[in-house]
Amino acid sequence: MGLLSGLILLPLAPVRGTAWVAERIAEAADKETSDPAPVLARLTALHRGLDEGVLSEEEFEREEEALLIELRRRREAAMPPAARPPRPHLPPTHPPSRKVPD
């Protein structure tokens, strides 16, 4: 960057700095939410709790199901969009409203 363009663009430096910081924060958040390591550690602790008798079979299954869903979500998020498996079609949670004739 030349001296003249540096002087002209100097008022934009705070905006560029803020944009740079925002990009770093977004990258860190993406990495944190797509990293499977914390979920795997929680799964390991869950198995340990079952083995030690701290958790009942029902509690274990409920927690394990939630963790496996989260693990699948994180692994899919790390894949490129073209490599992701297709999502099943889910019906709407509320039935469509019908108009009542006048």
Side-chain angles (χ1 to χ4, degrees):
M1 181 180 327
L3 179 62
L4 184 59
S5 62
L7 288 174
I8 291 172
L9 296 176
L10 188 60
L12 296 178
V15 174
R16 288 195 319 246
T18 303
W20 181 84
V21 169
E23 287 174 11
R24 299 295 89 70
I25 291 172
E27 287 172 5
D30 285 343
K31 184 178 180 182
E32 188 174 306
T33 58
S34 64
D35 184 14
V39 178
L40 292 172
R42 288 178 16 212
L43 270 171
T44 302
L46 192 66
H47 280 275
R48 190 177 313 116
L50 180 66
D51 293 340
E52 294 173 356
V54 177
L55 294 172
S56 70
E57 187 74 28
E58 183 181 293
E59 291 172 319
F60 172 79
E61 288 177 2
R62 185 177 57 246
E63 293 294 321
E64 183 187 40
E65 180 67 24
L67 289 173
L68 291 175
I69 289 170
E70 178 64 17
L71 183 62
R72 186 177 315 119
R73 187 199 64 76
R74 287 177 182 231
R75 287 184 173 165
E76 286 178 7
M79 293 179 176
R84 293 181 189 156
R87 294 194 174 259
H89 174 70
L90 299 175
T93 56
H94 303 288
S97 60
R98 296 182 184 209
K99 276 191 152 180
V100 178
D102 292 329

